[in-house]
Amino acid sequence: MIDTPNYADALRILGCKDGRLVKVIGFASAASRTGWALAGGGRLTANLRDMRDGIVGYGEDVVRRMPELKSGVDRFTRTRRLAAAHAAIVVAAYFEALGEAKLPFTLEQLDRGDRISHGVPTAERFARLMAGLLLERLPTPEPHVSYAETRQAVERAYLRMSEAMAGYVGGLAVWDELPVDDQLLLPRMLAEGPPAHALRIYDEDYRSLALDSHEFGVRSLVTEKPPPATALSRVAWLLAELAPPRVGDRPVIHRARMAANALDRPLLQAGKHPEDVSLPLLGEGYLTPRCRVAELTRGATPALREWWEEQRLLPDAEAFLVGYLTSLRATQAPLLVLGEPGSGKSKLTEVLGARLARSEFLPIRVELRAVRARAEVTEQIEQAVAGILEEPVTYPDLVQAGDGAMPVILLDGFDELVQGDVNRYDYLQHVREFQAAQAELGRPVAVIVTSRTVVTDRIRFPDGLLALQLEPFDDDQVRQWLDIWDQANRALLARRDLKPLPAESALAHGEMARHPLLLLLLALYDAGGNALQHDHGPLRRARLYEVLLRDYTERETGGARRVAIDQELVLLGAVALSMLASGRQVITDEALDRDLPALCHGGEEDPGDEEERTDWARKATERFFFVRRNGHAFLHSTFGEFLVAWLTLYALRDLDRRRHLVGDEPLALVQAVDDDLLYAVTSHSCLAERGPTVGFLLELIAEVPSPVRARCADLLTGLLRRSLHERPRRHFTGFRPVRHTVPRRLAAYSANLTLLIVAVSEQPVSVSSMLPGPDHLERWSSLTHLWKGQLGHEGWTGLVTALSAHRVMDGGKEDVVLGGATESAGLGDVVVAVATGHTPRHRRLLDLLLRSLGEGRALPFRERAGILAELLRTVAVRSPAMHQALGAMWNEEGADRSELRPLLHALLADPADRMATWEQLVKAGIPEPALWEIHQSALMPGDRQGPD
C-alpha cells in the first residue's frame, strides 16, 4: 500500500488557518501518542457541532480555492495538494451528512453536559473519536483504479467513521436516555444513513474538483477507450493541459531534454539502415500499447501469462501514464513495465521520455545494460547522464538545475541485472529506498523500470509496486502499423515492382505479427521480394531471423554465395557468444578484436602484418543489426540469443559433416571425434541461461532432417560420456571471452551436450542410454552435482526449466527419462543428488512428508521441528517443500519459533545458496527481519552483513 494523507495531513499540506480545526486535530494526534492526560485534555473545549461546521466550511473553501491552490507551485507540490483536497472533501462530505442524518438525537444533544454513562470521560472520548475520524489514512484516486472502485473505498471509510460514532455515543449519557429499540437500531442507522448521503455529496464535490483540476479528469479517462494514436501523442496533449510547456531551462537541463527528444529518429536505431526501405520515424511508427495493470502482492505470479489474463486491461494507457506521474504513488514506489522480448518496452521509455521533455517533468533515461550493474541507483543515473551530456554531473546538481521540474527516471532493462552473475533480485527495493531518501531531502522523484516478464519469478516486489504488462497488438493495431509502413515504403518498393506487406499476409503468421519487433522484421523480410505475399505458410521466429539475416547480408554484399553468408553469420554468432559468455549485452572493440579472430580465424592472424590486419570490431558491427552504446550492442537482445543458437547448431552440423565425410576410413575408427569448435562454442556458459536461446535452438533443430538428427544424437551421446575426461590438445584455445575454471567449463559443456541430445532426439531420452552401465543413476547424480555447483544460479535454474524429466521403471530397474510430455515440466524432483542426496524414489515421499509436517498433521510442534532438523542433518534436504514447511510452522498459531531458529540458520549457512534460500523463505512467509536477526546472530561482530 502507498502512503495516502489523512485529514490532519490535508490541513497541514493545504495550510489551514482555522484555529479550531488545527487545535482539536493537534490534540487528538497528541492524545493518540501520549494519552489524554499528557496531551492536556482538560483544556479541550471544542465540541462535535463546532467540528462539523468547521470541517464542512473548510471543505467548501477548498473546492472554491482549488485554482489558487494549484497555481504557482511545482509538479509534486500540486500533486500533494490535490491529494490533500480530496481528503478534505471526503471528510467534509461525511460530517455534512452526519449533521443532516435522521438519528434519535442531534449533535447538540451529544455535546450537552459533561456527565458520562460509564468509563472514559467525555473529553477523552471526544479526542478518541476525532482521532478515529480524522487521523486514519483516506483513499485517494489512482489511475489504475476506476472511479467506482475509489468510491467503494470511500464508502468503506465512511462505514469505519460510523462505527467510531456508534462507539462514541455508546459511552455518553444520551445513550441511557434512548429507548431500547433505538439503542439496538443505532449501529444500523449510522451505517446506512450518513454513508449513503455522504457518498452523494462526495460525488458532487469530486466533480467540482475534476472541473478545476485536470489531474482528476485524466484519471477518469483511464476507463474510456481513446481514439487511435501513435507515439503517446495524447500524453503530450494531456500534460499540456495540466501545465504549460516549460521554456528557458538552464543549459544543462536544456541539453538533457534535447537528448530525450527521440521522436525524429528512425524506429530502430541501427548502425546501418537497409538502403532499399525506409524505416518510419519513432514519432510515427510507435503505436500506443495495450496494457494490463496490477498491484504486485506477495501471492502474485506475474511471470505466468495465465495470471496476467485475469488482470485488468487498461482501455487508455496514455491517460494512465499521465495519471500515474501526477499521483502520490509515483514518488513512493517504482512502476514496473513488463513485456516479452520485442514487445516495445525500451521504445516506450524512449517515446515517453520524448513526450515528457517539454513538460514539468525532467526525463532521464538509463540503459541498465550500459551502466555498472552493481552500482547504487544514484551512481547509475549519474553515469547515464554523463554519457548524455559528455561531462560529469551529480544527481543533486541536476535536480537543482531543473528549477522544480520533477525527475522521471526511466530504468530500461532490469532483467539484465537479474540474469548473469550479478543477480540484483532486490533492485526494486533499492529503487524504492532511493525514492524515499530523495523525498526526505525534498527532491521527490518518479521511477519507471522495464523488464522481461519471464524474470519476475526471481525478483522481490516491494510493497505498493504497480506493474504494467504490455500486450501484443490486436488486429486493428497490426493494420494501423502496416498502414504506416505502407506510407513510408510504397514508392520505394514500387521502384522494384514490389508492394508493401498487406495485413492479411502478416496476420497469417499468427502471434509473430502481433509483437511489434517481429512485425517490423516481417515487413523488412517481405520488402526483399514480397516473399510473405506468396503464401509459403507461417514462418517460425527462428526461421524469420535466419532468412532476414541472410537476405540482408546477401543484399549488402551484392549477392554473396551461401558459404560467404555462413561466414558472416558465424562472425555475428561469435559476437553474440562473447556477450553471453561474459554476461553482458554490450561489448567493447578491444573484446571483439581479441575474441573474433580466435574463433573465426583460428587465432592465426600475423600480428606483425599491419597492412593486412583485419579490423574485426568494425567488420562485425558495421551491419544493420548493431547499435553503439558505450560499446556495441545488438539492435535487440533476441538477435544475440538467436545467433548463439544458430552458431551452436552450426558447430554441431560441422561436427557431423566432418565425421560423415571420414566415414569408415581406418583412421576414423581409432581417432577421437574432433569436437573442438563445439567445445569452444558451448563450454563457457549454459545455453539455458537465456530461455529464448533454447527456444530458437529447438526451432532450428526441428528443420534438420531426421537422419542427420539421429547421427548427431549418437555423436553427442559419445561426447557426453567422455566430456569430463582430459583432452590435452584443442584448437580455438584463444577464444576466452571470460576466464573460467576447468570444472566450470566442463560443467557447461556436459550440460549443453545433454540439452542438445534431448533437443535432436525425436523421442524421449533415458539416462541409461546416455550413460550406460549399472551405475547410470550414480553417474547422473554426479553430473547434476557438478552442474548445480558450477553453473551458477542462472545456469542451473535455466537448465532445470529447459529439461523435462520423469522417473520410470523398466524391467524392474529404475531410470530417468528426459524430454517428452510429462506431468511436471523441468528437472524438478529428478535431480535427487542436489535436493536430497538420495535416490529418485525418495524425493516424492520426502516432499509429501515435508508438506504433512508443515500442515501439522497429528504430531506436536516440537516433534515436527525435530524431524525437519533430522532431514536437514542426515539427507541435506534443500527443497522448496522444506522452505514451505518452515514458513507454515513459523506462522502457526502458538508456534515455538525458537525450535525453528537453528534450522533456519543451517539453511542460510551456505553462502552459495544463501540468496536464493533467503528469497524462498521470505516468500514462504518468514519475515525478513527475523531472517536477518537469525543470520546476524550466528556471525562474529566483524563479519555481520546482509545476505550475499
Side-chain angles (χ1 to χ4, degrees), residues 170-194:
L172 300 179
V174 71
W175 173 262
D176 293 332
E177 301 170 4
L178 296 177
V180 174
D181 289 347
D182 287 344
Q183 289 181 346
L184 294 174
L185 289 174
L186 182 62
R188 181 176 176 182
M189 296 168 68
L190 283 169
E192 293 180 352

Side-chain angles (χ1 to χ4, degrees), residues 550 553 560-570 646 650:
R550 288 185 178 279
T553 303
R561 294 181 296 114
R562 180 182 179 87
V563 173
I565 295 174
D566 280 350
Q567 290 175 341
E568 185 76 13
L569 293 183
V570 168
W646 185 92
Y650 177 87

Side-chain angles (χ1 to χ4, degrees), residues 671-893:
Q671 70 180 9
V673 176
D674 178 7
D675 63 333
D676 290 352
L677 179 59
L678 184 64
Y679 179 80
V681 170
T682 60
S683 64
H684 292 283
S685 57
C686 181
L687 294 172
E689 280 187 17
R690 296 276 181 171
T693 301
V694 176
F696 281 126
L697 187 60
L698 292 173
E699 290 185 16
L700 291 170
I701 287 175
E703 297 187 4
V704 176
S706 293
V708 178
R709 294 175 64 173
R711 293 199 306 267
C712 289
D714 290 339
L715 282 171
L716 292 166
T717 302
L719 291 174
L720 177 63
R721 294 168 190 165
R722 300 187 298 274
S723 61
L724 304 186
H725 292 235
E726 184 181 7
R727 279 284 304 274
R729 298 185 61 187
R730 282 195 182 276
H731 294 89
F732 308 108
T733 54
F735 180 70
R736 289 185 296 179
V738 62
R739 293 185 66 87
H740 283 314
T741 62
V742 172
R744 173 72 167 77
R745 292 194 67 178
L746 294 179
Y749 186 48
S750 56
N752 287 330
L753 288 176
T754 305
L755 277 171
L756 289 170
I757 291 170
V758 175
V760 300
S761 301
E762 297 183 346
Q763 298 296 328
V765 181
S766 65
V767 167
S768 60
S769 67
M770 294 191 302
L771 306 170
D775 60 344
H776 62 280
L777 286 184
E778 286 75 9
R779 294 168 67 189
W780 172 252
S781 292
S782 297
L783 276 177
T784 58
H785 269 302
L786 178 67
W787 298 340
K788 177 64 162 61
Q790 293 292 328
L791 294 182
H793 180 72
E794 285 300 311
W796 172 247
T797 55
L799 189 64
V800 167
T801 302
L803 283 177
S804 61
H806 64 286
R807 292 189 295 271
V808 296
M809 297 297 295
D810 185 9
K813 294 183 179 181
E814 189 174 23
D815 206 348
V816 173
V817 175
L818 305 177
T822 62
E823 293 181 1
S824 59
L827 287 174
D829 60 320
V830 175
V831 189
V832 293
V834 175
T836 68
H838 274 200
T839 54
R841 63 180 178 274
H842 291 156
R843 174 57 190 274
R844 196 175 301 278
L845 294 176
L846 283 169
D847 279 356
L848 291 172
L849 173 61
L850 289 167
R851 190 175 299 120
S852 297
L853 292 172
E855 294 172 358
R857 294 178 181 172
L859 282 176
F861 185 91
R862 189 168 188 177
E863 292 186 29
R864 288 184 283 138
I867 295 174
L868 291 178
E870 187 71 11
L871 289 172
L872 275 174
R873 185 178 65 82
T874 58
V875 296
V877 176
R878 300 289 191 275
S879 71
M882 172 63 80
H883 304 143
Q884 292 161 10
L886 287 168
M889 291 178 66
W890 181 275
N891 291 294
E892 192 173 303
E893 186 176 353

Side-chain angles (χ1 to χ4, degrees), residues 426-460:
D426 57 350
Y427 181 73
L428 294 176
Q429 183 62 43
H430 286 278
V431 172
R432 180 162 185 167
E433 291 167 1
F434 161 74
Q435 290 181 279
Q438 292 300 311
E440 288 183 5
L441 294 170
R443 298 194 294 257
V445 54
V447 181
I448 297 177
V449 185
T450 73
S451 174
R452 291 187 181 189
T453 305
V454 70
V455 305
T456 53
D457 60 348
R458 289 175 256 171
I459 63 179
R460 178 181 299 171

Side-chain angles (χ1 to χ4, degrees), residues 570-748:
V570 168
L571 184 67
L572 295 173
V575 178
L577 183 62
S578 186
M579 290 179 179
L580 174 66
S582 59
R584 298 187 300 268
Q585 287 202 27
V586 178
I587 194 166
T588 63
D589 287 347
E590 293 76 14
L592 291 174
D593 287 334
R594 177 196 66 216
D595 294 337
L596 296 187
L599 190 66
C600 302
H601 205 270
E604 299 173 359
E605 188 173 30
D606 183 4
D609 190 359
E610 295 294 336
E611 291 186 3
E612 299 297 327
R613 190 171 177 81
T614 304
D615 186 347
W616 288 96
R618 183 174 181 277
K619 180 179 179 180
T621 61
E622 66 180 354
R623 302 300 190 195
F624 166 61
F625 317 108
F626 288 93
V627 292
R628 189 169 184 86
R629 290 165 178 160
N630 298 324
H632 303 282
F634 279 104
L635 188 62
H636 194 272
S637 60
T638 52
F639 278 109
E641 291 156 349
F642 163 77
L643 285 164
V644 169
W646 185 92
L647 185 60
T648 301
L649 183 59
Y650 177 87
L652 179 57
R653 292 293 299 269
D654 178 69
L655 175 67
D656 172 65
R657 282 193 298 269
R658 286 184 288 106
R659 189 68 179 87
H660 188 58
L661 286 174
V662 173
D664 295 330
E665 292 294 327
L667 284 178
L669 300 178
V670 296
Q671 70 180 9
V673 176
D674 178 7
D675 63 333
D676 290 352
L677 179 59
L678 184 64
Y679 179 80
V681 170
T682 60
S683 64
H684 292 283
S685 57
C686 181
L687 294 172
E689 280 187 17
R690 296 276 181 171
T693 301
V694 176
F696 281 126
L697 187 60
L698 292 173
E699 290 185 16
L700 291 170
I701 287 175
E703 297 187 4
V704 176
S706 293
V708 178
R709 294 175 64 173
R711 293 199 306 267
C712 289
D714 290 339
L715 282 171
L716 292 166
T717 302
L719 291 174
L720 177 63
R721 294 168 190 165
R722 300 187 298 274
S723 61
L724 304 186
H725 292 235
E726 184 181 7
R727 279 284 304 274
R729 298 185 61 187
R730 282 195 182 276
H731 294 89
F732 308 108
T733 54
F735 180 70
R736 289 185 296 179
V738 62
R739 293 185 66 87
H740 283 314
T741 62
V742 172
R744 173 72 167 77
R745 292 194 67 178
L746 294 179

